[in-house]
Amino acid sequence: MRVRKAVFPAAGWGTRFLPATKAQPKEMLPLVDRPIIQYAVEEAVAAGIEQVIIVTSSQKRAIEDHFDLNYELERLLEERGEIDLLRQIRHIGDLAQVAYIRQKEQLGLGHAVLMAKDVVGHEPFAVLLSDDVVVDERPCIGQLIHAYHQVHASVVAVMEVPPDETSRYGVIGGELVPGSVHHGRLYRIDQVVEKPALGEAPSNLAIIGRYVLTPKIFDKLERTPRGAGGEIQLTDAISALMEEQAVYGYVFTGTRYDAGTRMGWLKASVELALGRADIGPEFSAYLRGLEL
């Protein structure tokens, strides 16, 4: 079955960016001239996703407004003859069919995904965490969808991290799947350890915020007890899913920025700006002229 729907958990408080996120969602912080969440939505659409499901909270109205039509702004731009800007604004509203689900309590990533059960239905679906901005010619979630169609099982995105950083992630253990079609990037997972202590990680392959999951994950999420902080962990449900179905990890290609941290957001802002044809050369010249 084709992967047509993608879930975007976006109900968190964004405390790492306070006070900037006191009155605006973290997902709406700009990277150059687009909000963080738009990069993830555009990635999903480029991979063939047709319906975007955004899990929000009462403080996230700005996200809904961003992906909605704005007739007054469009009319103003049209009257001024700013056609390029008009096209960009209309493009946002035309990206995909967007549905919103209100998460009344922030009970963890697993709970946020579970909130989308009724909209997703009985079909495989993608999950994208917009904090993880991945830049590549081939959309990261598209790489996972391709792998899903080969193995017909859940696939999570993994990347190599230094051993002293594994305690920040969910880390997989497993065996490399043989065969040239996978290009040495696909692993059959046999365990997932959430934030292992230093020296106790089963590998240096860490899960990042891209998943393609079978609908069976919802059954596991409904049975997953709350863990640390009273939250339902998606990794716990994935571990339970592995008792019934195979789960794979895919080492994706591309550059990943952790835009959910201040330093990661700054790095993404600088490098994405440098990669832009319209402002990159001027920005590069400015940076070279700084006395650092």
Side-chain angles (χ1 to χ4, degrees):
M1 186 178 293
R2 197 160 61 87
V3 180
R4 303 182 304 115
K5 300 177 181 181
V7 177
F8 293 76
W13 289 101
T15 54
R16 290 177 179 174
F17 284 94
L18 286 171
T21 51
K22 178 177 180 291
Q24 71 167 328
K26 171 188 61 176
E27 295 81 7
M28 291 301 296
L29 293 175
L31 286 174
V32 190
D33 55 5
R34 283 184 284 169
I36 292 173
I37 193 171
Q38 187 174 331
Y39 287 87
V41 171
E42 289 178 342
E43 175 191 325
V45 171
I49 293 296
E50 298 172 2
Q51 184 175 22
V52 167
I53 304 163
I54 302 179
V55 182
T56 66
S57 63
S58 59
Q59 294 80 32
K60 303 301 181 89
R61 179 61 186 271
I63 297 175
E64 300 181 28
D65 290 342
H66 181 71
F67 290 104
D68 199 359
L69 297 176
N70 188 325
Y71 295 107
E72 292 81 5
L73 177 59
E74 290 183 14
R75 184 170 62 249
L76 176 65
L77 293 174
E78 189 171 13
E79 290 173 353
R80 290 181 175 179
E82 299 185 46
I83 304 304
D84 287 341
L85 274 177
L86 178 61
R87 289 196 187 101
Q88 292 180 44
I89 295 301
R90 285 180 174 169
H91 167 73
I92 296 170
D94 294 337
L95 277 171
Q97 177 188 355
V98 183
Y100 297 95
I101 299 172
R102 183 67 62 87
Q103 185 183 19
K104 296 179 181 179
E105 293 182 272
Q106 280 68 64
L107 299 178
L109 175 58
H111 183 259
V113 173
L114 181 57
M115 292 295 96
K117 176 182 177 180
D118 290 341
V119 180
V120 170
H122 301 286
E123 58 184 279
F125 64 103
V127 176
L128 293 90
L129 307 187
S130 57
D131 284 357
D132 283 320
V133 178
V134 185
V135 179
D136 193 65
E137 291 183 1
R138 188 181 176 200
C140 179
I141 197 64
Q143 297 175 45
L144 267 63
I145 291 173
H146 180 69
Y148 165 82
H149 286 302
Q150 292 176 322
V151 298
H152 304 288
S154 297
V155 186
V156 303
V158 296
M159 61 179 285
E160 293 185 358
V161 299
D164 60 350
E165 293 185 12
T166 53
S167 60
R168 297 170 45 201
Y169 299 90
V171 180
I172 70 164
E175 295 185 358
L176 185 66
V177 177
S180 59
V181 68
H182 305 302
H183 308 290
R185 295 183 175 276
L186 190 68
Y187 288 78
R188 172 78 178 257
I189 301 176
D190 56 33
Q191 62 175 316
V192 178
V193 182
E194 184 67 27
K195 297 181 179 178
L198 188 64
E200 297 183 4
S203 74
N204 69 332
L205 293 175
I207 299 173
I208 69 114
R210 298 292 186 274
Y211 311 77
V212 174
L213 301 170
T214 64
K216 188 68 176 178
I217 194 68
F218 293 124
D219 295 338
K220 302 306 177 184
L221 286 168
E222 289 176 333
R223 293 170 172 78
T224 299
R226 297 187 186 186
E231 296 185 342
I232 298 174
Q233 301 294 336
L234 181 59
T235 50
D236 289 343
I238 290 174
S239 294
L241 181 65
M242 288 191 299
E243 298 176 4
E244 295 186 25
Q245 299 179 351
V247 178
Y248 294 85
Y250 187 83
V251 183
F252 62 93
T253 63
T255 302
R256 175 251 185 181
Y257 302 97
D258 183 1
T261 65
R262 286 174 291 181
M263 185 55 66
W265 178 81
L266 288 169
K267 290 178 180 178
S269 297
V270 170
E271 295 185 26
L272 289 171
L274 288 173
R276 289 270 295 263
D278 55 343
I279 60 174
E282 182 180 355
F283 187 44
S284 177
Y286 164 73
L287 293 176
R288 287 195 300 269
L290 294 177
E291 295 183 6
L292 301 176

